[in-house]
Amino acid sequence: MNDPKMDAFANELIIDRQAAIDEPLLPSLAQLTQWVGCVFAHHPDDQRREVTIRFVDEQESQSLNHEYRGKDNTTNVLSFPFESPPGLDIPLLGDLVICHAVVAQEAHTQGKPIEQHYAHMVVHGILHLMGYDHIDDQEAEEMEQFERDLLSELNIPDPYSDSNDH
């Protein structure tokens, strides 16, 4: 990171990186810190600086997706925002659960480097934890544009572009 604003937020983050799979292509803690820090640099008033990012296999992804979303399939990223009980001030933003097999397959299909697709999934998931959504078209366009802007700061091409020139 060469942006002092991003560096400042990255230094305040607590990221619990969990790898429930043995996979050499998983993002490092340094990469996760850079990507999450980029989002927080645009949300300086958000004091929830702790997040868990767990990398899982297809079975765990499908099980969690079925249990919490009623969908019996794997998915790339699941976001679980933390809601602090009244009177308790805990700086936990929430949990991201990322299925490596799905992310790897999507990156391959879309002709993207896996690292860039992981960055997109982490940024996307953190935005969900912060309350962004894409249920309706206007919300989707706003969230996607914010993702484009953030990823551009990380020198990552538009993830929604139809171009495969990555």
Side-chain angles (χ1 to χ4, degrees):
M1 280 184 275
N2 294 326
D3 184 334
K5 185 177 172 186
M6 278 195 254
D7 287 344
F9 286 100
N11 290 333
E12 297 175 5
L13 295 174
I14 297 173
I15 298 175
D16 179 12
R17 179 188 179 275
Q18 299 178 0
I21 57 172
D22 184 20
E23 171 55 56
L25 297 176
L26 297 180
S28 68
L29 181 58
Q31 289 172 309
L32 296 174
T33 300
Q34 180 183 22
W35 302 335
V36 174
C38 181
V39 179
F40 273 99
H42 292 271
H43 289 84
D45 296 332
D46 195 326
Q47 297 303 306
R48 301 169 298 167
R49 301 294 166 89
E50 294 181 29
V51 64
T52 297
I53 302 176
R54 180 176 174 83
F55 299 97
V56 301
D57 61 16
E58 292 166 292
Q59 182 179 355
E60 187 171 342
S61 173
Q62 182 172 358
S63 175
L64 291 169
N65 201 23
H66 183 260
E67 182 176 346
Y68 292 99
R69 296 181 63 224
K71 298 184 179 188
D72 196 20
N73 60 305
T74 59
T75 189
N76 49 22
V77 60
L78 291 166
S79 303
F80 298 96
F82 176 74
E83 294 188 27
S84 185
L88 220 64
D89 190 22
I90 299 175
L92 181 61
L93 182 62
D95 301 338
L96 294 183
V97 177
I98 301 175
C99 181
H100 172 75
V102 173
V103 171
Q105 180 58 47
E106 289 174 346
H108 175 75
T109 301
Q110 296 170 19
K112 300 176 182 177
I114 192 167
E115 179 181 325
Q116 291 181 3
H117 195 47
Y118 260 121
H120 179 211
M121 293 300 94
V122 169
V123 165
H124 183 85
I126 294 295
L127 290 175
H128 273 308
L129 292 178
M130 291 180 154
Y132 289 84
D133 217 331
H134 47 79
I135 294 172
D136 65 43
D137 289 344
Q138 182 176 348
E139 286 179 338
E141 182 52 42
E142 289 172 8
M143 185 171 176
E144 288 173 10
Q145 186 56 54
F146 195 25
E147 290 172 29
R148 285 183 190 100
D149 294 344
L150 292 168
L151 292 168
S152 175
E153 290 180 21
L154 296 166
N155 298 313
I156 296 173
D158 179 354
Y160 297 105
S161 169
D162 291 334
S163 168
N164 285 330
D165 299 329
H166 300 284

